[in-house]
Amino acid sequence: MSKELIRLVNCRMDFDGETVLDSINIYFNNSEFLTLLGPSGCGKTTTLRIIGGFLQPTSGDVLFDGVRINDVPPHKRRVNTVFQKYALFPHLNVFENVAFGLRIAKVPQKEIEQRVTEMLEIVSLKGFEKRKPDQHSGGQQQRVAIARALVNRPEVLLLDEPLGALDLRLRKDMQNELKRIQQQLGITFIYVTHDQEEALAMSDTVVVMDKGRIQQIGTPEDIYNEPKNAFVADFIGESNILDGIMRADYVVEFFGRKFRCLDHGFAPDEPVDVVIRPE
């Protein structure tokens, strides 16, 4: 059974008098792969930075295991972040890049060796310990960044468009890798992307955002098959949106003809948006 790990309560974020996040309420479960999905400027990265402690909300609370953590700095939160730019240390080899946080924490050398070796095996980089970052492909560098974030054993990994710099084929491969790593470790991944296909392929839960507000939360299947409004229907997948009239449960009329549909619970003859997928 999933357990709630993080909750944002009425979180609002203003920059220079402009509202970027409009009093959102959302919770994140343990061992969940959750994606914040939306166009540029919708508030998804702001949400991630609030969870990570890089921003303090203008108002509202951030709860971790039911405890308010608004004033807890990033390095004291049980979360780590992987950014689009991996920020690897060019003068350190793979082993030392991954071990960096453990050395700062003064973890004993024997434990460092054990944990780094274990983590490199998980991200499929065993045998690459002595290479420098510039001797690796973009996908391999990303795996080093993920290993460095995970070796500290956070309860939550935040990923801010980490595949954005990769070519299409490598992105596909890394989507599968990220999902495998998340399932193997059983920790919470909170992932930010504007790529709908990426979100639908990897996520247990998708949060669709627009203009600082949450438009819909659901499984990829729910989001695709049962969009809550015209924005979600238009943003997720290909579709035509037409004006129609709900004549009865599961029956909609448009262009003067009646069709079976998936929906019910509308008032008789209520005007509706009809979403038609190509398939």
Side-chain angles (χ1 to χ4, degrees):
M1 178 114 183
S2 294
K3 167 195 163 193
E4 181 184 310
L5 196 60
I6 299 172
R7 180 177 287 267
L8 304 185
V9 183
N10 294 323
C11 273
R12 181 184 184 91
M13 193 75 215
D14 296 328
F15 290 119
D16 299 325
E18 181 182 350
T19 299
V20 180
L21 214 56
D22 194 0
S23 301
I24 68 167
N25 290 277
I26 186 173
Y27 65 88
F28 306 85
N29 288 326
N30 189 41
S31 304
E32 178 178 41
F33 197 124
L34 183 144
T35 297
L36 302 173
L37 172 68
S40 296
C42 71
K44 56 189 186 293
T45 294
T46 300
T47 303
L48 201 77
R49 290 173 182 251
I50 287 173
I51 295 169
F54 303 107
L55 291 174
Q56 277 210 9
T58 305
S59 61
D61 292 320
V62 183
L63 307 179
F64 198 109
D65 269 346
V67 178
R68 186 178 183 272
I69 61 168
N70 289 42
D71 301 321
V72 177
H75 66 280
K76 291 189 176 179
R77 297 192 182 193
R78 300 190 305 239
V79 304
N80 263 346
T81 305
V82 176
F83 298 100
Q84 185 172 338
K85 294 182 179 178
Y86 313 131
L88 301 177
F89 301 112
H91 63 291
L92 299 179
N93 62 26
V94 167
F95 185 96
E96 290 302 328
N97 262 285
V98 176
F100 184 80
L102 300 179
R103 296 204 188 283
I104 293 294
K106 294 183 169 50
V107 174
Q109 177 64 22
K110 189 173 181 181
E111 185 179 345
I112 289 176
E113 291 176 4
Q114 177 187 343
R115 285 167 65 172
V116 171
T117 300
E118 177 185 290
M119 194 52 59
L120 288 176
E121 191 161 351
I122 287 172
V123 299
S124 303
L125 284 177
K126 187 177 179 182
F128 292 77
E129 293 86 349
K130 294 183 179 179
R131 290 193 188 181
K132 295 287 180 65
D134 62 4
Q135 295 176 296
H136 289 83
S137 67
Q140 289 170 329
Q141 289 183 39
Q142 189 214 46
R143 292 181 199 201
V144 177
I146 291 168
R148 184 176 63 184
L150 290 174
V151 78
N152 295 316
R153 296 175 178 168
E155 290 190 49
V156 180
L157 185 66
L158 309 177
L159 302 108
D160 190 4
E161 304 217 38
L163 307 185
L166 305 181
D167 62 54
L168 183 60
R169 181 169 181 176
L170 199 50
R171 284 183 75 144
K172 299 283 186 189
D173 291 342
M174 285 309 303
Q175 287 172 18
N176 295 330
E177 279 295 296
L178 283 173
K179 187 62 181 175
R180 177 190 64 78
I181 291 166
Q182 188 266 335
Q183 290 176 334
Q184 184 174 344
L185 295 177
I187 69 172
T188 301
F189 276 28
I190 303 177
Y191 192 94
V192 161
T193 185
H194 62 273
D195 187 322
Q196 46 164 306
E197 185 179 343
E198 197 166 87
L200 298 178
M202 293 193 296
S203 313
D204 300 315
T205 303
V206 178
V207 179
V208 183
M209 301 181 68
D210 185 43
K211 297 177 181 175
R213 297 181 179 179
I214 293 172
Q215 301 296 317
Q216 186 172 351
I217 301 174
T219 65
E221 292 80 8
D222 290 340
I223 296 289
Y224 187 83
N225 292 325
E226 292 291 323
K228 294 292 186 187
N229 55 41
F231 172 81
V232 177
D234 193 45
F235 190 75
I236 304 293
E238 299 296 327
S239 62
N240 293 305
I241 302 176
L242 308 172
D243 294 330
I245 298 173
M246 205 73 187
R247 293 303 186 191
D249 285 350
Y250 308 109
V251 179
V252 67
E253 181 178 321
F254 59 96
F255 292 152
R257 294 185 60 186
K258 293 179 181 177
F259 296 87
R260 296 287 297 173
C261 66
L262 298 173
D263 301 284
H264 64 282
F266 291 87
D269 302 328
E270 180 177 345
V272 293
D273 289 326
V274 181
V275 179
I276 303 176
R277 298 293 193 190
E279 64 273 17

